Amino acid sequence: MGETITFWVLAVVSVSAALGLVFSRKAVYSALMLGMVMLSLAVLYAVQGAPFLAAVQIIVYTGAVMMLFLFVLMLVGVDSSDSLVETIKGQRFWATIAGVGFAALLALAVGNMVFGTAVGVDRATQPAGGNVPALAQLIFTRHVFAFEVTSALLITAALGAMVLAHRERIRPKATQRDLARARFTGPQPSPLPGPGTYAQHNAIDMPALLPDGSLSAKSINRVLARHDEENGVRPTDPAKAALIRKVIEKDGAGKNADGEDVVKDTVDTDGGVKETTHQEDGK
């Protein structure tokens, strides 16, 4: 009775998560729904008397593969738009063939379950001495060729991913000496003052006070300043509020609070060079 209730509860959960995986517009939500399906399968394996498969399902698939999916999404970005241009010719045809083959295998499995005699996991693994010995015997005797081919396929896929993700460096890596020379030949060799220094608070969105009592525009984080301005959060001190507004206006015009041009950096993008601008405030 408990096994039946567990099956129907997990069946609803896993099918709902699978539908959410297919129809979700967010890649992160799809990955989380896939994790829910894998956890449901692990519980079903445990209920059916297959503890080894349940542990593998949780440790390998849910713990390792799902984390790999999430890391890839974090690196690629969840806002990346999918390209609808087919780069592989004939992929729809072969996808249709694969779908028909999978449907045939599913129909054979359902037919075997309906018209065959159910034996049960415990009875099927009893001659080998348990679930784990029976699984090991099948893997390393009857299905050893398929097991080794799958291992070689996974290793090849990992090497292929490393080759595709590798990028040749188009310029030598900057050493500590190069970084120090660039810093001392630049307009600001000394560290910038921290926000809130010598002030009556330690808020990171407030300007620092210089030893003479004046406000330091270089200590203002322009991202937080713009965020506070958009949300209507302004300092009560008119001088600080005016300075923060000046920083925002200068940053939008391509200059910092001292009227200097922002620094241009070159960033490598797929072998090319792309210019980006930012304010040299160290924040």
Side-chain angles (χ1 to χ4, degrees), residues 10-86:
L10 292 179
V12 174
V13 172
S14 59
V15 171
S16 301
L19 293 177
L21 165 67
V22 175
F23 294 105
S24 179
R25 295 180 179 270
K26 299 283 187 179
V28 176
Y29 296 161
S30 298
L32 294 177
M33 293 296 103
L34 181 58
M36 182 63 67
V37 174
M38 291 181 177
L39 290 176
S40 301
L41 289 177
V43 176
L44 290 176
Y45 289 151
V47 171
Q48 293 296 322
F52 181 78
L53 290 180
V56 170
Q57 185 73 25
I58 294 177
I59 297 173
V60 177
Y61 290 96
T62 308
V65 177
M66 277 302 306
M67 292 300 103
L68 180 62
F69 285 169
L70 291 178
F71 287 157
V72 170
L73 291 177
M74 291 167 62
L75 292 175
V76 175
V78 295
D79 295 332
S80 299
S81 58
D82 297 331
S83 177
L84 301 179
V85 179
E86 295 186 8

Side-chain angles (χ1 to χ4, degrees), residues 228-242:
D228 291 345
E229 183 71 19
E230 292 175 356
N231 290 273
V233 179
R234 299 180 180 86
T236 56
D237 189 351
K240 296 180 180 179

Side-chain angles (χ1 to χ4, degrees), residues 6 22 30 32 87 96 120 128 140 155 183 196-197 201 216 224 254 272:
T6 304
V22 175
S30 298
L32 294 177
T87 57
T96 304
F140 295 105
I155 295 175
R183 176 176 179 178
T197 306
H201 44 67
S216 174
L224 294 178

Side-chain angles (χ1 to χ4, degrees), residues 263-267 274-278:
V263 179
K264 288 187 177 181
D265 289 342
T266 56
V267 181
K274 176 183 178 181
E275 287 190 353
T276 58
T277 59
H278 68 88

Side-chain angles (χ1 to χ4, degrees), residues 3-250:
E3 180 179 347
T4 305
I5 295 176
T6 304
F7 171 78
W8 284 110
V9 171
L10 292 179
V12 174
V13 172
S14 59
V15 171
S16 301
L19 293 177
L21 165 67
V22 175
F23 294 105
S24 179
R25 295 180 179 270
K26 299 283 187 179
V28 176
Y29 296 161
S30 298
L32 294 177
M33 293 296 103
L34 181 58
M36 182 63 67
V37 174
M38 291 181 177
L39 290 176
S40 301
L41 289 177
V43 176
L44 290 176
Y45 289 151
V47 171
Q48 293 296 322
F52 181 78
L53 290 180
V56 170
Q57 185 73 25
I58 294 177
I59 297 173
V60 177
Y61 290 96
T62 308
V65 177
M66 277 302 306
M67 292 300 103
L68 180 62
F69 285 169
L70 291 178
F71 287 157
V72 170
L73 291 177
M74 291 167 62
L75 292 175
V76 175
V78 295
D79 295 332
S80 299
S81 58
D82 297 331
S83 177
L84 301 179
V85 179
E86 295 186 8
T87 57
I88 303 177
K89 295 182 179 180
Q91 60 179 348
R92 291 191 178 185
F93 172 76
W94 292 111
T96 304
I97 296 297
V100 172
F102 180 76
L105 290 176
L106 187 61
L108 289 176
V110 173
N112 188 22
M113 181 186 65
V114 173
F115 299 103
T117 302
V119 178
V121 178
D122 295 334
R123 185 177 176 183
T125 58
Q126 185 177 3
N131 177 260
V132 177
L135 186 62
Q137 183 179 2
L138 289 176
I139 290 178
F140 295 105
T141 56
R142 182 178 178 182
H143 302 291
V144 62
F145 179 74
F147 184 75
E148 296 298 333
V149 170
T150 304
S151 302
L153 179 62
L154 292 176
I155 295 175
T156 305
L159 293 177
M162 294 174 59
V163 172
L164 293 176
H166 176 70
R167 292 183 181 181
E168 294 292 340
R169 186 179 294 275
I170 61 176
R171 60 171 60 89
K173 184 179 180 180
T175 62
Q176 188 69 23
R177 182 178 181 179
D178 297 332
L179 295 176
R181 181 184 291 110
R183 176 176 179 178
F184 283 97
T185 56
Q188 183 69 33
S190 61
L192 296 176
T197 306
Y198 303 117
Q200 297 177 351
H201 44 67
N202 58 353
I204 62 174
D205 57 347
M206 293 297 173
L209 296 179
L210 297 177
D212 59 353
S214 60
L215 300 176
S216 174
K218 294 182 179 180
S219 65
I220 298 177
N221 191 318
R222 69 186 190 281
V223 178
L224 294 178
R226 190 182 301 109
H227 180 270
D228 291 345
E229 183 71 19
E230 292 175 356
N231 290 273
V233 179
R234 299 180 180 86
T236 56
D237 189 351
K240 296 180 180 179
L243 182 60
I244 293 177
R245 191 178 301 107
K246 179 182 178 182
V247 170
I248 297 175
E249 294 175 356
K250 294 294 184 180

